[in-house]
Amino acid sequence: MSPLLERLAEARRAGDVARLADAIPYARWMQIAPENGTGELLTRMRYHDTLIGNTFLPAIHGGTLGAMLEMAAIFHLLWETESETVPKIVNITVDYLRSARPLDVIASAKVTKQGRRMVNVFAEAWQEDRSKPVATANAHFLVKSTDDAPPSL
């Protein structure tokens, strides 16, 4: 079993979703971690200076927003499903709606379509006001199923 899946099993037993990010070096470096303190699974990217892409505004780099939305979708699939494999990204489309200021970014994700092997996830990111998202994403993931059984979502 991979270190991520071992930590996933530990996190599920402890009810602590934040442990998922511990096994992902990129998530630790980007300071992206899931949290479920409100009863809803959210993913937070803590602001730090290396996230800035446009120093004149300043604004967070779009690539980091896209990566954060992808991580939010993966965390959602890992936590909300009984999956024993890590979902594989097939494609992602990110819509940048407004400049992300030098503040924390929060994202939520939800499954919009589930197939036997593919899952479509919608994710949105915002800063201070959830009604004003800075970016949204639609992503397709390959979810390995055992013996052609549909994945459990």
Side-chain angles (χ1 to χ4, degrees):
M1 186 182 289
S2 75
L4 177 62
L5 295 177
E6 288 174 14
R7 291 198 182 175
L8 174 60
E10 292 172 16
R12 284 184 177 151
R13 282 192 296 274
D16 183 10
V17 69
R19 291 186 186 183
L20 290 179
D22 293 342
I24 305 170
Y26 182 71
R28 286 193 317 261
W29 181 80
M30 291 284 291
Q31 297 181 28
I32 298 173
E35 52 190 42
N36 60 352
T38 62
E40 175 185 14
L41 180 67
L42 299 175
T43 300
R44 180 180 301 268
M45 181 171 64
R46 301 249 176 237
Y47 171 74
H48 49 100
D49 288 337
T50 57
L51 297 177
I52 294 295
N54 184 336
T55 57
F56 295 108
L57 289 178
I60 295 177
H61 192 280
T64 61
L65 287 174
M68 191 257 193
L69 288 165
E70 181 179 342
M71 294 294 296
I74 290 171
F75 288 143
H76 180 81
L77 288 173
L78 286 172
W79 190 253
E80 300 293 332
T81 68
E82 299 293 323
S83 177
E84 295 183 8
T85 60
V86 177
K88 305 277 186 208
I89 186 82
V90 174
N91 68 354
I92 186 168
T93 303
V94 179
D95 294 320
Y96 300 99
L97 306 174
R98 56 180 50 89
S99 293
R101 298 178 318 250
L103 301 167
D104 286 4
V105 181
I106 303 164
S108 67
K110 67 179 179 178
V111 173
T112 56
K113 180 149 174 67
Q114 169 192 344
R116 292 183 68 194
R117 297 186 191 277
M118 297 289 291
V119 178
N120 185 337
V121 180
F122 174 78
E124 69 177 340
W126 65 92
Q127 291 186 298
E128 293 176 320
D129 185 355
R130 191 172 189 164
S131 67
K132 295 179 181 177
V134 294
T136 61
N138 280 302
H140 293 92
F141 291 91
L142 179 64
V143 181
K144 185 177 178 181
S145 60
T146 57
D147 302 328
D148 291 332
S152 160
L153 288 179

